[in-house]
Amino acid sequence: QLQLQESGPGLVKPSETLSLTCTVSGGSISSFNYYWGWIRQPPGKGLEWIANIYYSGSTYYNPSLKSRVTISVDTSKNQFSLRLSSVTAADTAVYYCARSLGVVLTFDYWGHGTLLTVSS
Amino acid sequence: QSALTQPPSASGSPGQSVTISCTGTSSDVGGYNYVSWYQQHPGKAPKLMIYEVSKRPSGVPNRFSGSKSGNTASLTVSGLQAEDEADYYCSSYAGSNMGVFGGGTKLTVL
């Protein structure tokens, strides 16, 4: 059974860069036609797609966040990561990593999510 | 890239059917057959319920069905059960390797 697990600092100061990692187990991150993505959900609000990556390194970003986001993959560790720079309180959210069926952003496996709070 | 439009709330009694709409544009919902629906219970990760407009992943009850007409997609839950009470989100491919979610609908089973 495929499992995804997010890890991150939990608390980040404003203007800093947050880094999150998603570890994939029970399957290979290098599987054909599966993409890997990050989605976030501010407290009490809806879902927002952040970025996707293919094991080859091809990246796809939400235009509204693209200037601050970097997604990367480490196939040797079966992990992919997210960096979000210049964070503000508006970036406080539960961050989920998930697997996407193809490039069309259909997320069939999700991690449990990790709460990231931006506060001084 | 604007969020898809969903009603904030929907409700129905056990055994009834309820339909949740998801309205986009010709650049997303209307332009591709890649609409998905997710169910989210409080404190839990979303769960894929419908993909490619009307396909159900293995394990999803056939009480859940999806459809699309023009720029509006719909999720219908038939034979409502107490455990169907949750938030529901639609999403759509929006071209150029991008996607967009709806604002979410809180489904209450009366």
Side-chain angles (χ1 to χ4, degrees):
Chain A
Q1 177 78 349
L2 190 75
Q3 293 185 324
L4 294 87
Q5 179 66 57
E6 305 89 350
S7 57
L11 179 66
V12 179
K13 290 181 170 56
S15 79
E16 292 187 342
T17 296
L18 80 84
S19 294
L20 297 171
T21 296
C22 182
T23 301
V24 179
S25 58
S28 174
I29 204 169
S30 301
S31 298
F32 176 72
N33 210 35
Y34 287 115
Y35 292 65
W36 306 90
W38 290 96
I39 303 99
R40 70 180 182 178
Q41 185 173 35
K45 296 187 178 181
L47 302 169
E48 179 180 34
W49 171 67
I50 302 172
N52 268 26
I53 192 165
Y54 194 53
Y55 76 91
S56 63
S58 297
T59 57
Y60 313 93
Y61 295 103
N62 184 328
S64 67
L65 295 168
K66 185 175 183 178
S67 63
R68 297 195 292 129
V69 173
T70 302
I71 189 171
S72 59
V73 64
D74 186 337
T75 56
S76 67
K77 295 182 179 179
N78 230 32
Q79 295 177 333
F80 62 104
S81 299
L82 179 76
R83 287 172 57 88
L84 178 64
S85 64
S86 305
V87 299
T88 69
D91 294 311
T92 293
V94 174
Y95 285 75
Y96 295 100
C97 62
R99 187 183 79 170
S100 176
L101 300 171
V103 74
V104 294
L105 285 82
T106 297
F107 297 102
D108 62 343
Y109 283 91
W110 294 66
H112 294 297
T114 186
L115 175 62
L116 186 91
T117 301
V118 179
S119 175
S120 55
Chain B
Q1 189 189 19
S2 300
L4 306 176
T5 300
Q6 297 181 234
S9 63
S11 63
S13 299
Q16 289 186 331
S17 293
V18 65
T19 296
I20 300 170
S21 63
C22 170
T23 301
T25 69
S26 58
S27 297
D28 38 61
V29 174
Y32 307 93
N33 288 323
Y34 291 116
V35 175
S36 300
W37 289 91
Y38 299 88
Q39 176 192 67
Q40 187 180 35
H41 288 110
K44 301 294 187 181
K47 174 185 176 183
L48 181 66
M49 305 300 285
I50 296 287
Y51 68 103
E52 293 180 14
V53 177
S54 60
K55 296 180 180 179
R56 278 188 309 276
S58 175
V60 173
N62 59 11
R63 302 185 293 103
F64 291 85
S65 62
S67 63
K68 189 185 85 167
S69 178
N71 296 337
T72 298
S74 299
L75 172 72
T76 298
V77 186
S78 305
L80 269 176
Q81 299 182 3
E83 59 261 35
D84 299 333
E85 184 162 298
D87 294 327
Y88 290 84
Y89 293 91
C90 62
S91 74
S92 176
Y93 182 61
S96 301
N97 302 313
M98 298 185 299
V100 60
F101 283 98
T105 297
K106 182 177 180 59
L107 174 61
T108 301
V109 180
L110 302 170

